[in-house]
Amino acid sequence: SSGINAEYGDQSALERQEQQIQNEIKKAAKSGDRQTATVLAKQLINIRKQKARNMGMKGQIGAVKSKTTTMQSNMKMADTMKNTAGVMASMNKQMNPQEMSKAQLKRLA
């Protein structure tokens, strides 16, 4: 999360800028400075767009992180299954299934 903020702009810094610009727009409007208010309003729009882009990027990065975690889990599971298959093959070599069946049948008889 902190890496995301560093790369795409700190969300709280953008919120502070947004609040500051809103206050400046109010001051300009009270003093009748329409040109300054217009420029500040455009800046405010750009900040809001940046905040929206940041949220979108955080969502995308979160989805990638989730997929990566799933892939790592799948790789671990595949590795475990590979090891299990090796152990099973080794056990089958040590314990002849046909002879075990014969032995069990003799016990039942």
Side-chain angles (χ1 to χ4, degrees):
S1 167
S2 61
I4 295 169
N5 286 342
E7 191 168 338
Y8 299 105
D10 185 24
Q11 197 73 5
S12 60
L14 288 175
E15 288 173 6
R16 283 191 302 273
Q17 282 183 319
E18 181 181 19
Q19 187 62 45
Q20 183 181 5
I21 290 175
Q22 285 175 342
N23 292 338
E24 290 178 24
I25 290 171
K26 289 176 186 177
K27 287 179 190 175
K30 281 184 183 178
S31 66
D33 190 353
R34 184 179 173 94
Q35 185 178 6
T36 300
T38 302
V39 170
L40 291 170
K42 288 179 183 178
Q43 287 179 352
L44 183 63
I45 289 169
N46 288 334
I47 287 173
R48 289 180 176 165
K49 285 179 183 177
Q50 183 63 43
K51 282 174 58 178
R53 283 191 297 266
N54 287 359
M55 293 302 288
M57 292 301 289
K58 284 181 183 181
Q60 289 176 353
I61 290 171
V64 169
K65 183 178 178 184
S66 176
K67 288 179 183 178
T68 301
T69 302
T70 301
M71 286 173 37
Q72 287 174 335
S73 296
N74 288 342
M75 288 174 59
K76 286 180 184 178
M77 179 67 78
D79 190 45
T80 301
M81 291 180 78
K82 176 182 153 189
N83 292 339
T84 302
V87 169
M88 295 289 283
S90 175
M91 290 298 291
N92 281 340
K93 285 181 183 176
Q94 291 176 7
M95 304 171 86
N96 188 336
Q98 292 173 346
E99 288 182 21
M100 288 180 63
S101 293
K102 288 179 187 177
Q104 285 179 349
L105 287 175
K106 285 182 185 179
R107 285 185 198 160
L108 293 175

